[in-house]
Amino acid sequence: KIKDLIIEVFQKYTKRIPTSVLNEVIALATAKHQIPSDHGKMVKIYYSTQFKTKPPQIALISNRPKTIHFSYLRYLENWLRDN
């Protein structure tokens, strides 16, 4: 049983997520909960892509990347895990 769990965790650790799937999931997340504005200026996420595995790392391309609050990034991270 432990061996099966180890294999499952390793498969998730090395998983490659297609850019189109990531963009759809991020679009759903931002539609459900809008990105907070930066002093009245809209913050947009143009697209996302996975640029590394082991561990999986995802880049968000945005017009104002430094203004996205860490709590919103945590929301997106949790959304990605759930979906």
Side-chain angles (χ1 to χ4, degrees):
K1 189 172 182 174
I2 291 176
K3 183 180 177 184
D4 294 336
L5 288 174
I6 291 171
I7 292 170
E8 181 182 347
V9 168
F10 183 75
Q11 288 173 344
K12 289 182 181 181
Y13 183 71
T14 59
K15 184 174 184 173
R16 183 85 173 135
I17 304 168
T19 300
S20 61
V21 173
L22 274 174
N23 287 330
E24 288 175 12
V25 172
I26 294 294
L28 287 172
T30 55
K32 183 177 178 187
H33 183 71
Q34 188 74 16
I35 303 172
S37 65
D38 176 34
H39 302 292
K41 297 180 181 176
M42 293 294 295
V43 179
K44 298 178 187 174
I45 296 176
Y46 296 123
Y47 68 94
S48 58
T49 185
Q50 181 180 357
F51 64 93
K52 190 174 178 183
T53 58
K54 300 180 189 173
Q57 295 183 8
I58 296 171
L60 299 175
I61 309 306
S62 172
N63 62 338
R64 299 181 168 284
K66 295 185 183 206
T67 62
I68 300 175
H69 198 265
F70 73 91
S71 62
Y72 193 80
L73 292 175
R74 190 172 351 132
Y75 160 74
L76 290 176
E77 186 176 332
N78 290 332
W79 185 268
L80 282 169
R81 278 194 189 116
D82 292 342
N83 293 289

